[in-house]
Amino acid sequence: MPSFQEALALMEAWTESASLRRHMRAVEVAMRAYARRYGEDEELWAIAGVLHDMDYEKYPEEHPYRAVEELRRLGYPEEVLEAILGHASYTGTPRRTRMAKALFAVDELTGLITAAVYVRPDRSILGLELPSLKKKFKDKAFAKGVNREEIRLGAEELGVPLEEHMAFVLEAMKQEARLLGLEGA
């Protein structure tokens, strides 16, 4: 199986957009945190997170199928491929594994958290608190591209109360603020 460093290099080779790269790193961070929580393979979960949108920029009409095709060719485990397919509801791929459920659950939420940081005067995640995040979640006009129903459904499928899920992912991202470029000005 390819290593995390190989997966990261692959993601960077396929993705030019700095914001999309940051999104995939945020999903990776949240996946690592959930893997630790559940006693799962942290590197494997991180690989799923960092690669889940690798084809989005180059092949938006074929996402995530093009990525899965390439990852299969490169020998990535089926569990990772199934999770990547399952994170996109329109594929109809059932999320059977905890990894697949976690990837779906954190994907949209990391986007909401990042958007909430970007509107803060200091642009730092470190001062972002759960009540503020919950307020942004309820405000349909804020970060309109974030699918709140998928966030709700993801937490439900993972078996974690929504508020706890939001707090958990927020804390995971705070722990890696520097890596994610969210430590502020």
Side-chain angles (χ1 to χ4, degrees), residues 16-115:
E16 289 182 27
S17 162
S19 64
L20 185 55
R21 284 180 176 194
R22 279 192 303 272
H23 166 68
M24 288 186 276
R25 294 305 304 264
V27 172
E28 168 219 329
V29 161
M31 290 295 287
R32 282 185 186 278
Y34 267 123
R36 281 191 299 273
R37 177 178 178 164
Y38 294 127
E40 299 283 354
D41 184 332
E42 192 175 322
E43 183 157 302
L44 189 66
W45 283 43
I47 287 169
V50 85
L51 293 175
H52 81 283
D53 278 346
M54 71 177 240
D55 62 351
Y56 188 79
E57 189 177 70
K58 285 186 179 183
Y59 306 103
E61 304 301 316
E62 300 171 65
H63 168 70
Y65 302 107
R66 185 64 74 99
V68 168
E69 180 182 296
E70 177 66 7
L71 296 172
R72 185 171 281 125
R73 189 184 70 72
L74 294 172
Y76 282 84
E78 283 300 315
E79 182 182 13
V80 169
L81 307 184
E82 188 176 303
I84 291 172
L85 285 170
H87 96 276
S89 294
Y90 57 82
T91 67
T93 304
R95 292 177 286 275
R96 293 186 287 238
T97 65
R98 190 178 265 163
M99 178 198 292
K101 291 173 183 178
L103 183 59
F104 179 72
V106 304
D107 185 25
E108 291 288 312
L109 180 54
T110 60
L112 179 71
I113 292 169
T114 301

